[in-house]
Amino acid sequence: MTAHVPAATLTAYASGDLGADDAMAWPVEAHLENCPRCQDRLAELVTGPVQEILAVARTAVLAESRSGPRPARRRRLRRLSYRWLSPSVIPWALVTLIAVAAAFLLDEAFSARSSVVLLLAPVAPLSGLAVAWSRRWDPAWETVSGTARAGLDLLLRRTVVILLTVLPLLAVVGWRVGANPALWLLPCLTFTAAALLLGGLIGVSRAAALIGAAWMLAVALPALVMVRLPVLVQPESLRGWAVAAVALAGLVVLRAGDHRQHAGRN
Amino acid sequence: MVRAVRADELAPSTGAWQVEATGLRVKAGSRLAVDGLDLTLGPGVHGLLGPNGAGKTTLMRALGTVIRPKGGRLHLLGRDVTDRRSLRAVRARLGYLPQMFGFYPKFTVRDYVEYMAWLREMPAAAVPAAAQRAVDRVGLTDRADSRLKSLSGGMVRRVGIAQAIVNEPDLLLLDEPTVGLDPEQRVEFRELLRDLGDTSCVLVSTHLVEDVVAACGDVLLVDQGRLVFRGVPADLARLGAHDGAGDSAAERGYSVLLRDHRSAA
Ligand SMILES: [Zn+2]
């Protein structure tokens, strides 16, 4: 676009002297399509009838833009929440909040007893995982499970949100009862990874229920009855928890394919 | 719609068919609902008919990659989907409306369709326009920002169709798409089907013989987990011209086919 349309040519074009079949008209139009300056020059040159047509068109366009459908709002935050949250997350969050708060109150009331907060920490994320990817709790399960992102991609997003809810909660109550942060953090992460790993084989809901029940029956309940903190939630076990958390997390990534298709059971 | 061609779309596939099943066996619970089914489908609209319990829905779920076949060979869009590694690529080019279309009541129509487009890994920049187009195509433009819980059954079904077509799938599976649609909407839907069948492979499972006659290029009849008949809609009318039970010639033809197959078996 080096040269603009010469004034004489533009005048001829505006008055219609340059016919549509004229070889001269084609390059003029091609230039006009992309040159705002020549468009302005042309607008000043057009005659009465053309101006009238333009005015009518302008009114019609403006009327349409006022009465037509409104442009969709930007919904960035909502979109973000759909991509990361599991749809049944609210009831779950309430249940977890109540459980952690109850454990904290028990610890405050009977400080001589074994720490209920530490005993609850490993299983705190499990109820969330149970509803995160479940045929029963997710109404759109079937529609979603046939999509490209179904599988570990979606499951990990939902798990991250669950941990982001549970961990700060545990951090607050853990600090109030004066527990070593690693003592609730590492078991919590280990159990999350274990539920995901086992979930690839038997379904995440089932795995979370199984692991949670096993911990409650084998460790938490005896500890509460005997009023003694088991070795599993004492500092000498931390090394073991750390190894288990890293190993299980690695296995979850290695076995990512397990989550890709329904195994017929969850 | 203009879009970039991905490298994997140009890669040669092993077959010319969008669906290639040989000796397919799929379980529904403890029962083998699909038992030794052979099927090849190319572009066009295919109507899947069969009595209740014939295995139609189980077949649709297996083709939608929701459940894993117990045995046999299943290739979708040229890839072996019994190999889990090929699922992701196939699913991005798949559209599926399940018979029980569950949804999130608080989502708006637009939210839901956009969410499904995202799940099918459409490029983020293309999602809003694709969702709008899908919503327009099923006639829900004026309800695009209504919450799903405020919609009637027929409207929800149309949302289900919109989410299935939002990624312009190469293989589209619709299980009972016309349930809850009124006669006028059903006519519009058939038009949409013919339109979709021009470019992709569409499989419609239905119990309405008239839907198949009006919109499908060929008819598949499934009974007891197997494909027992394949023909064109005119075959049904011809068979039902003087025989069978039903309101229309095609319905009578369908009943004749089923009866003959069962007495032969
Ligand atoms: Zn110019």
Side-chain angles (χ1 to χ4, degrees):
Chain A
M1 213 185 301
T2 46
H4 291 290
V5 182
T9 317
L10 202 60
T11 313
Y13 180 75
S15 61
D17 291 343
L18 220 57
D21 49 349
D22 197 313
M24 284 291 287
W26 188 80
V28 172
E29 280 177 353
H31 178 89
L32 276 169
E33 265 177 27
N34 294 309
C35 179
R37 220 177 114 188
C38 290
Q39 285 166 11
D40 284 344
R41 286 169 61 212
L42 177 68
E44 280 162 22
L45 290 171
V46 291
T47 50
V50 179
Q51 265 170 350
E52 264 167 46
I53 293 171
L54 284 175
V56 170
R58 182 184 144 82
T59 317
V61 167
L62 286 178
E64 179 64 27
S65 74
R66 258 180 246 123
S67 63
R70 254 187 260 175
R73 288 178 297 124
R74 282 163 74 91
R75 301 167 341 285
R76 197 172 287 165
L77 201 66
R78 273 166 79 181
R79 207 173 288 156
L80 204 67
S81 77
Y82 299 152
R83 291 177 185 184
W84 288 83
L85 288 179
S86 92
S88 332
V89 80
I90 305 287
W92 157 78
L94 284 175
V95 169
T96 308
L97 181 72
I98 292 166
V100 174
F104 170 68
L105 290 176
L106 280 173
D107 276 357
E108 290 284 276
F110 312 98
S111 49
R113 289 184 148 228
S114 52
S115 171
V116 186
V117 168
L118 288 185
L119 287 172
L120 185 75
V123 294
L126 292 184
S127 62
L129 285 173
V131 298
W133 181 234
S134 133
R135 202 171 183 173
R136 225 178 114 196
W137 291 95
D138 190 337
W141 187 89
E142 185 165 351
T143 321
V144 171
S145 62
T147 61
R149 281 188 203 274
L152 201 61
D153 181 328
L154 209 57
L155 186 57
L156 279 185
R157 284 166 185 264
R158 292 176 175 186
T159 305
V160 164
V161 173
I162 288 165
L163 288 177
L164 285 180
T165 319
V166 169
L167 295 181
L169 215 57
L170 288 173
V172 171
V173 293
W175 166 67
R176 292 284 302 173
V177 300
N180 177 353
L183 274 177
W184 53 262
L185 179 65
L186 288 175
C188 188
L189 294 178
T190 307
F191 271 53
T192 304
L196 291 180
L197 184 63
L198 186 61
L201 302 175
I202 63 169
V204 182
S205 306
R206 225 171 237 233
L210 207 67
I211 294 172
W215 172 263
M216 287 316 234
L217 289 177
V219 182
L221 214 60
L224 289 174
V225 171
M226 294 190 292
V227 200
R228 207 177 55 205
L229 207 54
V231 70
L232 276 174
V233 289
Q234 296 203 27
E236 49 265 46
S237 301
L238 279 179
R239 188 186 294 263
W241 282 113
V243 170
V246 171
L248 287 170
L251 283 172
V252 167
V253 175
L254 274 180
R255 302 292 308 174
D258 287 352
H259 293 279
R260 213 159 274 164
Q261 201 168 25
H262 181 42
R265 279 184 299 264
N266 65 330
Chain B
M1 186 184 296
V2 180
R3 65 180 179 84
V5 178
R6 295 190 305 269
D8 60 308
E9 286 176 287
L10 294 174
S13 62
T14 50
W17 309 104
Q18 273 86 346
V19 175
E20 243 185 311
T22 325
L24 188 67
R25 296 202 312 279
V26 192
K27 271 189 159 179
S30 57
R31 195 173 64 93
L32 262 183
V34 173
D35 190 5
L37 180 127
D38 299 320
L39 181 66
T40 49
L41 297 176
V45 185
H46 313 276
L48 183 65
L49 287 171
N52 287 335
K56 282 182 301 184
T57 289
T58 308
L59 173 62
M60 295 299 268
R61 299 181 74 203
L63 298 182
T65 72
V66 174
I67 42 176
R68 201 170 167 64
K70 268 280 164 258
R73 183 171 166 275
L74 179 60
H75 281 224
L76 299 178
L77 304 169
R79 282 162 179 260
D80 180 2
V81 290
T82 52
D83 178 0
R84 275 197 299 231
R85 283 166 301 180
S86 58
L87 278 176
R88 198 169 183 139
V90 169
R91 282 172 169 174
R93 297 161 61 201
L94 206 70
Y96 174 47
L97 169 68
Q99 186 177 33
M100 304 295 266
F101 172 59
F103 56 89
Y104 307 131
K106 286 185 182 166
F107 276 42
T108 66
V109 174
R110 188 189 308 282
D111 289 336
Y112 192 77
V113 176
E114 285 190 353
Y115 179 57
M116 292 308 296
W118 174 76
L119 283 171
R120 297 208 176 93
E121 296 195 309
M122 288 190 77
V127 167
Q132 182 69 54
R133 178 168 148 79
V135 169
D136 291 345
R137 286 179 97 178
V138 298
L140 284 175
T141 310
D142 52 339
R143 298 305 295 267
D145 295 299
S146 305
R147 288 185 192 261
L148 293 177
K149 63 181 171 193
S150 72
L151 302 185
S152 69
M155 286 181 180
V156 168
R157 209 71 200 147
R158 278 143 74 195
V159 176
I161 297 165
Q163 64 80 20
I165 63 174
V166 66
N167 57 333
E168 313 236 333
D170 295 326
L171 173 59
L172 175 61
L173 306 159
L174 302 170
D175 200 347
E176 297 288 355
T178 55
V179 169
L181 299 194
D182 63 35
E184 193 193 338
Q185 290 162 356
R186 199 168 283 160
V187 170
E188 283 169 16
F189 171 68
R190 288 171 188 160
E191 245 164 66
L192 174 62
L193 266 190
R194 284 188 286 264
D195 197 21
L196 293 165
D198 284 345
T199 49
S200 43
C201 171
V202 186
L203 181 62
V204 187
S205 168
T206 178
H207 67 283
L208 293 172
V209 180
E210 52 184 292
D211 278 344
V212 173
V213 173
C216 297
D218 72 340
V219 187
L220 310 161
L221 179 63
V222 176
D223 192 31
Q224 288 157 349
R226 284 163 187 263
L227 183 68
V228 298
F229 169 82
R230 182 166 194 171
V232 293
D235 292 339
L236 291 178
R238 187 171 45 75
L239 282 166
H242 309 289
D243 197 5
D247 295 330
S248 66
E251 270 181 35
R252 287 193 292 275
Y254 167 68
S255 73
V256 168
L257 262 179
L258 209 57
R259 187 193 65 202
D260 290 355
H261 161 69
R262 287 194 161 163
S263 60

